[in-house]
């Protein structure tokens, strides 16, 4: 089976090379260099992830800051190479683990770069990739939508539907789109996601 995490990783690396380190992204406050640093540390320094989760622990927070400074100071081409080719000891080198942990991450961040550019265009995804993204979305939707006061129903024609939100208002928001677009919407890329919204 195709490892779509690796497909998205390669496409993102090619785009980063073309745009350079100072292009905008949809991640607030991040240029392409910041996003590349995030991905390199995520793939190659799992030891510092605790520092992001527990930033108030001084030792861990300082470890994160030092690692970010070191990686950010690398030449752009080297940084992009590390995005594209995680180190040998990275879990990303294990196909099934990579696919499970990184398909959504690289898809979303690829779109973060693509859709922040002035003349971006929609791209068709393979059915298998949409199916993979839909499976991930169904697993994450309730957590991702837990702060929504309304009931939210995500419908991907030919794939299924998933419901989330607190349901406190009596309003039901129904969103219809391909799994990839619903996933982007759920991840907060709401202005850029191509979804059809109806309110009931």
């Amino acid at each position: 089976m195709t490892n779509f995490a690796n497909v998205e990783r390669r496409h993102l690396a090619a785009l980063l090379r073309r745009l350079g380190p100072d292009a905008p992204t949809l991640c607030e406050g991040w240029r392409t260099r910041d996003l590349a640093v995030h991905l390199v540390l995520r793939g190659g320094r799992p030891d510092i992830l605790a520092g992001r989760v527990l930033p108030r622990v001084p030792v861990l927070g300082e470890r994160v800051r030092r690692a970010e400074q070191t990686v950010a100071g690398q030449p752009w081409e080297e940084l992009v190479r590390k995005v594209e080719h995680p180190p040998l000891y990275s879990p990303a080198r294990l196909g099934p683990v990579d696919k499970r942990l990184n398909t959504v991450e690289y898809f979303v961040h690829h779109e973060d770069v693509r859709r922040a550019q002035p003349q971006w265009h929609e791209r068709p995804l393979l059915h298998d990739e949409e199916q993979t993204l839909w499976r991930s979305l169904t697993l994450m939707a309730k957590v991702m939508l837990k702060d929504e006061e309304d009931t939210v129903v995500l419908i991907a024609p030919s794939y299924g539907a998933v419901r989330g939100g607190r349901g406190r208002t009596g309003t039901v928001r129904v969103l219809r789109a391909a799994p990839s677009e619903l996933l982007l919407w759920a991840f907060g890329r709401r202005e850029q996601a191509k979804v059809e919204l109806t309110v009931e």
Side-chain angles (χ1 to χ4, degrees):
M1 293 181 67
T2 301
N3 179 356
F4 289 116
N6 203 37
V7 171
E8 291 296 312
R9 184 184 288 112
R10 290 197 313 269
H11 289 320
L12 173 56
L15 182 58
L16 292 173
R17 284 192 184 94
R18 182 165 61 82
L19 293 175
D22 297 313
T25 77
L26 297 184
C27 300
E28 187 175 353
W30 279 9
R31 310 298 281 184
T32 40
R33 179 179 291 277
D34 303 301
L35 181 56
V37 168
H38 162 73
L39 292 171
V40 169
L41 291 176
R42 184 180 184 276
R45 290 293 306 272
D47 59 306
I48 71 162
L49 291 181
R52 293 189 185 281
V53 176
L54 303 169
R56 289 190 175 87
V57 178
V59 174
L60 296 178
E62 182 58 29
R63 184 181 296 176
V64 170
R65 284 187 289 277
R66 285 199 309 266
E68 286 175 341
Q69 290 173 353
T70 300
V71 173
Q74 296 175 356
W76 179 240
E77 183 57 37
E78 176 68 9
L79 195 55
V80 175
R81 186 191 66 77
K82 289 180 177 179
V83 170
E84 187 172 15
H85 302 288
L88 291 175
Y89 57 81
S90 172
R93 289 288 185 156
L94 303 172
V97 175
D98 187 30
K99 186 174 181 178
R100 181 172 295 272
L101 293 181
N102 291 322
T103 297
V104 169
E105 178 84 2
Y106 278 89
F107 167 74
V108 170
H109 284 321
H110 186 195
E111 293 302 313
D112 282 337
V113 178
R114 291 184 69 256
R115 298 186 188 211
Q117 309 316 308
Q119 296 179 329
W120 75 274
H121 60 278
E122 295 181 54
R123 62 178 176 125
L125 297 181
L126 297 173
H127 173 79
D128 287 351
E129 187 166 15
E130 291 282 11
Q131 183 68 53
T132 297
L133 295 175
W134 177 248
R135 281 196 297 267
S136 296
L137 181 57
T138 58
L139 292 173
M140 299 185 294
K142 290 194 182 299
V143 173
M144 296 173 74
L145 300 173
K146 66 181 175 58
D147 294 330
E148 299 289 335
E149 293 296 320
D150 302 336
T151 297
V152 178
V153 182
L154 306 178
I155 299 175
S158 303
Y159 294 91
V162 64
R163 178 181 296 257
R166 297 181 180 183
R168 291 179 175 173
T169 65
T171 299
V172 178
R173 283 182 286 156
V174 179
L175 295 99
R176 290 181 175 82
S180 52
E181 299 295 331
L182 293 173
L183 183 72
L184 289 170
W185 187 91
F187 265 94
R189 281 64 172 179
R190 300 198 172 177
E191 292 184 11
Q192 294 78 20
K194 302 295 185 182
V195 301
E196 175 190 328
L197 171 64
T198 56
V199 180
E200 300 175 358

